[in-house]
Amino acid sequence: MPELPDVETFRRYLGYTALHKVVESVDVRSPEMLSGVSLDGLRSELGGTSLEETERHGKYLFARTGRGRWLVLHFGMTGRLAYYRDPGSEPEHARLVLGFENGYSLAMDDRRKLGSAALTGSPGEFAEQRELGPDALLVGSRGFAEALGRKRGMVKSALMDQSTVSGVGNVYADEILFRAGVHPAADVGGMGRGSLVELYGHLREVLETAIDVQADPDRLPDDYLIPRRREGGRCPVCGGELETTKVSGRTTYYCRRRQGRGRRG
DNA sequence: AGTACCACCTGACGGC
DNA sequence: TGCCGTCAGGTGGTAC
């Protein structure tokens, strides 16, 4: 599920594959994925020029075109990128395909069609329009503690709220709270500044570690929760069976022994 | 402001 | 075998 580490991995992938290649064709197989832009609009922005630079804000990937606007990609739950030469290698659920003069193509594949593509003037403008909070890796512990200090309710909900801090989704929120030893339903309003700064340390550590392994769950350290995040999974530290609950309507895994129970942080 | 619920969408999976 | 309900979860909308 593309969260910040996945999208950062896509950003780097786009950077060493499709950058500076002249776009010859723009195909949209699922027009409903276009958000606020028409196929013609996309073609006239991309055709005959190239992607020159990438950025990321939270779960959004941006690529600046030679004409100065930015392509915005959001990957929903099942989106990913693929760069390939052989048309037979086109992914099964390609929704947006850029064909380059060098014969290669870049596809955004999205089985469940929850992703989207848009154009914007700049990443900052886009983030402002969408009311996205600061990127989770750029905010810093002080900004993080201030942002979460303004929140009420369950700490996991606050972590996943993209308008508070941008980039953390359901899966990595579970990992961050697991490593911090904080119950996902703990009241964020009851957490002191010190606890929030500590939580941010775990957030950074988790997201950076995940980026280092290109967001591949199988390559995460042995004591990570994510690979065991399934029915009957066991805590990698104490061996106890993981508990599940719902937070913000999302399935939540945690270790009762390490993360306590009830609404305290 | 927070929470609960729905919708979007497809494929995997368990039950019968 | 095959039909059916449920689940997965990012975002965005509604109602309370």
Side-chain angles (χ1 to χ4, degrees):
Chain A
M1 300 75 243
E3 303 184 28
L4 188 153
D6 311 82
V7 178
E8 177 62 19
T9 302
F10 298 153
R11 187 188 73 78
R12 295 178 184 186
Y13 179 76
L14 194 157
Y16 62 72
T17 56
L19 231 46
H20 313 305
K21 312 282 200 301
V22 176
V23 177
E24 210 168 50
S25 64
V26 178
D27 288 311
V28 174
R29 312 282 164 72
S30 298
E32 66 273 17
M33 76 171 295
L34 296 182
S35 166
V37 63
S38 65
L39 175 55
D40 283 349
L42 205 55
R43 281 188 171 144
S44 57
E45 181 63 30
L46 288 167
T49 186
S50 52
L51 301 174
E52 294 295 332
E53 175 187 4
T54 61
E55 273 195 33
R56 182 191 52 72
H57 187 118
K59 303 172 190 174
Y60 292 88
L61 172 58
F62 302 87
R64 184 174 55 79
T65 80
R67 298 198 173 87
R69 305 201 73 199
W70 294 74
L71 174 67
V72 188
L73 296 179
H74 189 274
F75 296 89
M77 279 180 57
T78 53
R80 62 192 189 88
L81 294 178
Y83 184 75
Y84 53 94
R85 175 154 208 167
D86 173 14
S89 301
E90 178 177 305
E92 192 178 354
H93 307 285
R95 309 294 181 195
L96 170 64
V97 180
L98 305 184
F100 301 103
E101 271 184 4
N102 67 356
Y104 281 75
S105 297
L106 179 74
M108 177 172 168
D109 182 79
D110 183 11
R111 179 161 55 80
R112 282 167 64 181
K113 296 186 176 177
L114 296 176
S116 63
L119 288 177
T120 187
S122 72
E125 177 187 311
F126 183 85
E128 194 170 326
Q129 275 172 0
R130 295 296 184 96
E131 299 183 336
L132 296 178
D135 182 79
L137 284 182
L138 296 178
V139 62
S141 60
R142 180 190 184 132
F144 178 85
E146 283 169 5
L148 265 73
R150 287 190 288 267
K151 302 286 289 181
R152 294 294 177 268
M154 294 182 272
V155 61
K156 185 178 174 187
S157 300
L159 267 181
M160 288 194 299
D161 182 346
Q162 303 300 298
S163 69
T164 306
V165 159
S166 197
V168 178
N170 191 41
V171 170
Y172 285 99
D174 277 2
E175 186 70 57
I176 291 162
L177 292 166
F178 172 73
R179 310 200 71 70
V182 173
H183 192 287
D187 178 9
V188 69
M191 293 177 69
R193 189 187 174 81
S195 305
L196 292 174
V197 168
E198 204 173 297
L199 185 60
Y200 186 67
H202 290 286
L203 177 150
R204 283 204 78 89
E205 187 256 342
V206 166
L207 297 183
E208 287 171 356
T209 299
I211 290 169
D212 283 347
V213 299
Q214 288 146 76
D216 178 353
D218 295 335
R219 292 172 59 204
L220 288 170
D222 289 342
D223 64 344
Y224 266 51
L225 173 77
I226 288 174
R228 296 158 183 83
R229 215 180 151 282
R230 53 185 158 70
E231 186 140 347
R234 294 192 165 270
C235 172
V237 176
C238 77
E241 190 164 341
L242 296 173
E243 308 273 327
T244 61
T245 182
K246 292 272 185 186
V247 172
S248 292
R250 307 281 174 245
T251 304
T252 297
Y253 291 81
Y254 68 101
C255 171
R256 186 189 300 181
R257 190 183 304 176
R258 295 198 67 234
Q259 297 169 262
R261 52 199 302 193
R263 298 176 66 119
R264 292 201 33 182

